[in-house]
Amino acid sequence: MPSARPRRALLGVLCAALACSLTACSSSPAPGTSVREGSAGGRRIPYWVEGTTPAQVARDMNVTIPARATDLRAAYQRGFQDDGVLLAFTLPKADTKAFIAKLGPESSLLHRNAPLTSGTGQSPTTPFAHLGLKEPETLADVTEGPVCTVCEGDLNWLNIAVHPVDAQHDQVYLHGAV
């Protein structure tokens, strides 16, 4: 009966050859490139669009920024399928309920007392850190939910999160896709 050692050696050589051929024939893009690179003007997707203003994002979201809103921040991210839009501002508590009512949530927004934790070490899904803000998922005492799941115009969906900054002000976070 032949020894198992030559078979193991042959199997090892075959596995190494297979691994090398798979690596050489890989269709992965080269570092610094993207599958959709041509459609983004040579830019790697996703990417943040420079110079985006709160007024532009508010239009994309079909939202009117309240007159007394301060510290307005906005971002537009080109994505693979949908583009992401972020809008955040500080609003006097006296104006928050009226602002939410104008958005017309399809159901009641939910309040949570504790931050969300995934337990997997994953980063939050909404990139408000790009705006220099804490992620709503990492905060306690947040009221949040969908504002529209079937939205008008190019907007696919829109979510809101509201967190008290102090006794007189709330931080409003809007996150959507176009």
Side-chain angles (χ1 to χ4, degrees), residues 14 92 107 125 129 176:
L14 289 174
S107 61
T125 58

Side-chain angles (χ1 to χ4, degrees), residues 161-176:
V162 178
H163 177 260
V165 175
D166 57 35
Q168 293 82 30
H169 299 91
D170 289 321
Q171 180 68 47
V172 176
Y173 298 85
L174 293 165
H175 178 219

